[in-house]
Amino acid sequence: MIELVFATNNQHKVEEIQDAIGNQLKIITLAQAGIHIDIPEPYDTLEANASQKSFTIFRLTGKNCFSEDTGLEVEALHGEPGVKSARYASDGKIFSENINKLLQKLGSIEHRNARFRTIISLILNGREYSFEGICEGKIEQFPRGNQGFGYDPVFSPLNSDKTFAEMNLREKQQYSHRKKASDKLVLFLQQAIIPDN
């Protein structure tokens, strides 16, 4: 089985990616790889931050690895919070505060279109490959549900009357930006290095 180090300390992301990938690949977390650092995300694009994280882990371990960076982009706020999604209200990554700030900035605006966008950066044999996943939707007036994490309580994907936080993982994966990007990752790896059965 192919093993990849996933450059994150976020257990929710690990669970979502492993569920999306299934048993075709084995995900090694940073902790399992013996790495206990918080990799900085200093850049102003998801692509650059994802690349920074994956190359950092590759330099530390020499192993094939991947990272992802995800942002919520709200049309009426000109793409905010975007690359600063996790630190929108403060550097503390407290999502209740981030949600409160988002809802306050939107106020009574009726046009609430938004999208989640995920970029995966894969380092395979020292070379980088990138994959993108997008989920279109809207921001609700009030939080609903207690599943998931991050902005899930206020984001409803297109063609759904539920927020992500009202869905179980199986339901969420039908729409998930992270799953769309990881599906592209798996397809690439199948074609590149996983032999035919």
Side-chain angles (χ1 to χ4, degrees):
M1 182 180 291
I2 304 300
E3 293 187 353
L4 291 174
V5 178
F6 185 13
T8 186
N9 290 306
N10 185 322
Q11 190 58 36
H12 291 291
K13 290 184 177 182
V14 173
E15 290 168 3
E16 283 195 7
I17 289 278
Q18 186 67 75
D19 183 81
I21 288 174
N23 60 6
Q24 299 178 76
L25 303 165
K26 184 176 181 184
I27 303 302
I28 306 297
T29 66
L30 286 182
Q32 290 169 334
I35 298 171
H36 303 281
I37 61 171
D38 194 14
I39 305 168
E41 299 175 335
Y43 300 107
D44 58 3
T45 67
L46 299 175
E47 289 82 358
N49 282 329
S51 185
Q52 155 91 357
K53 288 187 284 188
S54 58
F55 272 111
T56 296
I57 297 308
F58 181 71
R59 284 193 294 268
L60 288 172
T61 67
K63 296 179 183 293
N64 293 328
C65 61
F66 72 100
S67 70
E68 66 91 45
D69 202 18
T70 294
L72 174 66
E73 300 172 345
V74 180
E75 208 169 282
L77 300 180
H78 309 290
E80 284 187 20
V83 74
K84 299 186 182 301
S85 290
R87 297 177 173 84
Y88 195 37
S90 71
D91 284 338
K93 296 186 179 181
I94 301 170
F95 270 98
S96 58
E97 294 179 3
N98 291 338
I99 287 172
N100 288 339
K101 179 176 179 178
L102 176 66
L103 294 180
Q104 286 172 4
K105 290 198 79 167
L106 278 173
S108 59
I109 292 174
E110 291 184 14
H111 180 77
R112 304 173 80 85
N113 291 358
R115 67 179 187 172
F116 273 116
R117 192 163 67 93
T118 290
I119 299 294
I120 289 178
S121 165
L122 167 71
I123 307 297
L124 183 65
N125 301 326
R127 183 174 175 185
E128 183 180 24
Y129 304 88
S130 293
F131 311 92
E132 181 183 55
I134 293 174
C135 176
E136 301 285 353
K138 66 177 181 178
I139 303 299
E140 299 292 346
Q141 296 277 354
F142 305 100
R144 301 198 315 261
N146 55 15
Q147 304 296 312
F149 64 104
Y151 294 93
D152 286 0
V154 292
F155 182 86
S156 294
L158 206 60
N159 301 320
S160 173
D161 57 0
K162 289 183 177 181
T163 68
F164 271 165
E166 293 177 300
M167 299 179 183
N168 61 37
L169 185 54
R170 188 62 56 214
E171 291 175 300
K172 183 178 179 181
Q173 296 289 43
Q174 296 175 33
Y175 304 96
S176 171
H177 44 290
R178 198 168 282 111
K179 183 170 191 312
K180 290 173 183 174
S182 61
D183 282 350
K184 293 177 183 177
L185 167 71
V186 170
L187 181 61
F188 171 80
L189 288 170
Q190 285 174 331
Q191 295 171 341
I193 57 177
I194 299 176
D196 295 333
N197 292 328

